[in-house]
Amino acid sequence: AVLDLNGKTMHQLTVNGNVTLIDSSDEKSGAITANHIIVGKGSTLTIEAGTYKGNNPTETAEVIVNGGTITGQSYGNKAAWTINGGHFSSTGILFSVTQGETITINDGTFDGMVNFGSKAYPATVIINGGTFNSDVSATCETWNIHNGIFNGPVYASVSTGYVYAT
């Protein structure tokens, strides 16, 4: 299904199936202002355009971001993310616990701390490009950086009793 925001605002979204979000308005002012966008198990959410606040898939799913703006804290939380573009911004942490899933970043701009994984839920992160304008950190997981612009520190932390970051 294709959901066209057409400049309108939605306050909640639950996806069970395959959904692509677009905004055909000239101003691209369409927005989802929900605290959570829930993507159900086995579902796929593709974001093409618009503004999304509080994107938080909560079940095993796939999220593909090709454009648009995501603000607020965005958690990977059991979702496999593929980011091909878009603007991510937050005064807090953009990504946090990803519970063993994979995040692939091919492009995009990231303004805000990006923290992939946690001690209890390591992740695999693949960065093929993008611009990171703040701290980028990894905790106890594997991440592969092939390309990108990093305008802040990049660091991996380790902790006794957990798998070490690579």
Side-chain angles (χ1 to χ4, degrees):
V2 175
L3 177 60
D4 184 354
L5 295 172
N6 195 22
K8 306 293 187 217
T9 298
M10 292 180 61
H11 297 290
Q12 183 171 351
L13 178 64
T14 300
V15 175
N16 289 306
N18 298 324
V19 174
T20 299
L21 294 176
I22 65 171
D23 182 2
S24 64
S25 68
D26 291 337
E27 300 81 22
K28 302 294 183 216
S29 58
I32 296 177
T33 60
N35 289 332
H36 301 283
I37 296 174
I38 299 171
V39 182
K41 185 175 183 177
S43 299
T44 300
L45 171 63
T46 302
I47 299 171
E48 296 289 345
T51 300
Y52 310 93
K53 182 176 182 178
N55 193 4
N56 186 10
T58 58
E59 297 186 36
T60 303
E62 181 177 8
V63 178
I64 302 168
V65 182
N66 293 322
T69 301
I70 296 178
T71 62
Q73 294 189 2
S74 300
Y75 301 93
N77 212 17
K78 294 186 182 179
W81 286 69
T82 301
I83 299 171
N84 298 314
H87 181 230
F88 296 77
S89 65
S90 176
T91 56
I93 296 173
L94 285 170
F95 287 94
S96 189
V97 176
T98 56
Q99 300 191 14
E101 296 297 338
T102 299
I103 296 177
T104 303
I105 299 174
N106 297 312
D107 197 7
T109 302
F110 301 83
D111 296 319
M113 184 173 186
V114 181
N115 180 20
F116 298 111
S118 74
K119 296 173 195 171
Y121 302 107
T124 298
V125 179
I126 302 166
I127 299 176
N128 296 316
T131 301
F132 300 84
N133 295 316
S134 188
D135 295 6
V136 177
S137 66
T139 306
C140 304
E141 78 248 357
T142 300
W143 52 321
N144 303 288
I145 300 174
H146 303 283
N147 199 351
I149 298 169
F150 297 86
N151 297 317
V154 177
Y155 55 93
S157 60
V158 296
S159 194
T160 303
Y162 293 101
V163 177
Y164 288 96
T166 304

